[in-house]
Amino acid sequence: MRPVAQLILRTMALIVQKYGGTSVGDAERIRAVADHVARTREAGNDVVVVVSAMGKFTDDLIHLADDVSPNRPPRELDMLLTAGERISMALVSMALGARGVESASFTGSQAGIITDTDHTRAKILEMRPDRIREALDSGLVPVVAGFQGVSTERDITTLGRGGSDVTAVALAAALKADVCEIYTDVTGVFSADPRVVAKAKRLSKVSFDEMMEMAATGGRVLMLRSVEFARRHGVPLHVRSSFTWEPGTWIVEEDPTMEEAVVSAVTDDKSEAKVTVGGVPDKPGIAAKLFRELANRGINVDMIVQNTGANGLTDISFTVAKTDLEAAGECCNHVKDEIGAANVTTDDNIGRVSIVGAGMKSNPGVTALMFETLSEHGINIEMISTSSIRISCVLRAEKVSDAVRYLHTAFGLDAA
Ligand code: ADP
Ligand code: ASP
Ligand code: MG
């Protein structure tokens, strides 16, 4: 039979708390985190901590790699970048000890995060968090390095920028935690990036559907893959501040009794660039050949526009992550002659503004108001894409921040 104390332990909540870079940015912040973890435990909960690298340490390491060598083998880059989270996990564990909380730190590999071999953007294949469960069972607070795992080839991998969110959600799902708390430098998810729109409002609840659209179009407060993962495994997410500790935004399954906002948020994204393949024959098979070639090189294409051209010729434009622009340009030049294209041009001075809202599917006029608002301010739309709950427009990069503010006002989202 279990001792009574252990039976009582079973009735407590299990909380996974993820702390982003700013939240562990210096010694004082790390002590504040340890203090909060201690208080969460004192309230009768079990806690698993997931940490990011301190401040902008990951960026600094990438710059260092750039300085050392023009080519950065992905395996070595992953080995380098995971060092950032390793520093945080050891320091947080030490700070917990100083606060009287027994803990132990674990790398992603030690925490049983098994990934594929796609270095710098590996996907989790399997979770084997045995050591984390053992640590919890023996009364420790496990502190896990975010953003990393170990591949099926036994190499250290990273999960893509912002990947500590994925680590936290994957652990919460595997451990069947009651909630995954994402602590960051804003007090929750806002109706727009509060750094761009001063009048943005904090949302108390956001549906998984809306959060996925926001995360996919620039609302970088949560990494897209973490939201997809949370939804698939039914993990409630609570995004909140590690500066004020006040309750933030809950990301949950849509409540059918709730009235849906027509537009909940406006997002901005300057991480993509545009490629145009000009003067291609307007006949079947051309686009298929072009996009197969891009796919074979692992290049993700986002928005695509094909103009109806004259004289049997057309232009195909598409967007890719800026980090893939060079490879995409090379790839198009490589197939240019084969598909009979006249030219290939690239443009990294674009940005995207999107409006997201679960209620827009049943409200006509949303698209018209978006286009009218942009046109009133003389902003030209270069590409358009939609989903049932999102409309995105590609604009000149320098117009994006203003466009977000105009749309935020036009859709009645400004805080009073
Ligand atoms: P962390 O290091 O904690 O993971 P991130 O920088 O990844 O933090 O994400 C938090 C940032 O996301 C905020 O500082 C904010 O500028 C930005 N952000 C963008 N869109 C939104 C939004 N809609 N609501 C809240 N924050 C947003
Ligand atoms: N440190 C990593 C990054 O900056 C992972 C994270 O913070 O989530 O992308
Ligand atoms: Mg983040």
Side-chain angles (χ1 to χ4, degrees), residues 17 23 33 118 140 147 202 260 279 292 305 351 370 385 409:
Q17 298 187 335
S23 306
V33 164
D118 196 5
L140 302 178
F147 174 55
R202 185 177 74 209
E260 295 165 329
R292 167 55 58 205
V305 169
M370 182 179 196
S385 86
T409 304

Side-chain angles (χ1 to χ4, degrees), residues 323-402:
T323 45
D324 281 338
L325 181 61
E326 209 182 306
E330 269 171 24
C331 173
C332 292
N333 276 311
H334 177 74
V335 287
K336 188 175 130 223
D337 291 340
E338 198 186 333
I339 61 177
N343 51 59
V344 175
T345 54
T346 59
D347 179 355
D348 65 357
N349 197 30
I350 59 155
R352 166 160 50 160
V353 56
S354 307
I355 56 174
V356 175
M360 73 170 65
K361 44 184 185 280
S362 50
N363 276 276
V366 176
T367 316
L369 180 57
M370 182 179 196
F371 295 172
E372 281 158 10
T373 306
L374 295 175
S375 105
E376 269 161 29
H377 292 93
I379 298 174
N380 189 41
I381 302 170
E382 299 182 21
M383 291 168 100
I384 301 162
S385 86
T386 62
S387 79
S388 64
I389 64 164
R390 173 187 52 78
I391 307 167
S392 297
C393 295
V394 167
L395 320 167
R396 286 293 93 202
E398 64 272 14
K399 299 283 185 194
V400 167
S401 298
D402 280 343

Side-chain angles (χ1 to χ4, degrees), residues 191-411:
S191 52
D193 185 344
R195 290 179 210 285
V196 177
V197 180
K199 288 181 177 166
K201 287 185 290 200
R202 185 177 74 209
L203 308 169
S204 54
K205 240 188 209 180
V206 179
S207 69
F208 278 119
D209 276 350
E210 287 178 320
M211 195 64 232
M212 281 200 286
E213 293 285 5
M214 287 175 72
T217 57
R220 71 195 159 94
V221 62
L222 282 175
M223 193 207 198
L224 174 60
R225 274 169 51 201
S226 72
V227 188
E228 290 166 350
F229 207 106
R231 170 189 232 162
R232 210 165 43 245
H233 297 270
V235 178
L237 295 176
H238 185 185
V239 180
R240 51 192 300 195
S241 162
S242 68
F243 289 77
T244 66
W245 307 107
E246 66 196 288
T249 303
W250 284 86
I251 322 293
V252 286
E253 211 48 76
E254 205 174 314
D255 174 354
T257 61
M258 252 166 45
E259 186 160 9
E260 295 165 329
V262 177
V263 172
S264 306
V266 186
T267 59
D268 65 287
D269 183 6
K270 290 187 192 154
S271 66
E272 293 194 338
K274 182 168 79 169
V275 181
T276 302
V277 184
V280 287
D282 194 3
K283 61 177 196 203
I286 299 294
K289 205 165 273 165
L290 175 62
F291 290 102
R292 167 55 58 205
E293 194 69 28
L294 288 159
N296 286 347
R297 295 180 190 216
I299 298 168
N300 253 325
V301 173
D302 191 7
M303 295 167 84
I304 303 172
V305 169
Q306 176 169 336
N307 300 319
T308 325
N311 312 326
L313 296 178
T314 184
D315 291 345
I316 300 175
S317 293
F318 57 90
T319 63
V320 291
K322 273 186 181 150
T323 45
D324 281 338
L325 181 61
E326 209 182 306
E330 269 171 24
C331 173
C332 292
N333 276 311
H334 177 74
V335 287
K336 188 175 130 223
D337 291 340
E338 198 186 333
I339 61 177
N343 51 59
V344 175
T345 54
T346 59
D347 179 355
D348 65 357
N349 197 30
I350 59 155
R352 166 160 50 160
V353 56
S354 307
I355 56 174
V356 175
M360 73 170 65
K361 44 184 185 280
S362 50
N363 276 276
V366 176
T367 316
L369 180 57
M370 182 179 196
F371 295 172
E372 281 158 10
T373 306
L374 295 175
S375 105
E376 269 161 29
H377 292 93
I379 298 174
N380 189 41
I381 302 170
E382 299 182 21
M383 291 168 100
I384 301 162
S385 86
T386 62
S387 79
S388 64
I389 64 164
R390 173 187 52 78
I391 307 167
S392 297
C393 295
V394 167
L395 320 167
R396 286 293 93 202
E398 64 272 14
K399 299 283 185 194
V400 167
S401 298
D402 280 343
V404 173
R405 287 187 281 266
Y406 296 140
L407 291 168
H408 199 266
T409 304
F411 284 96

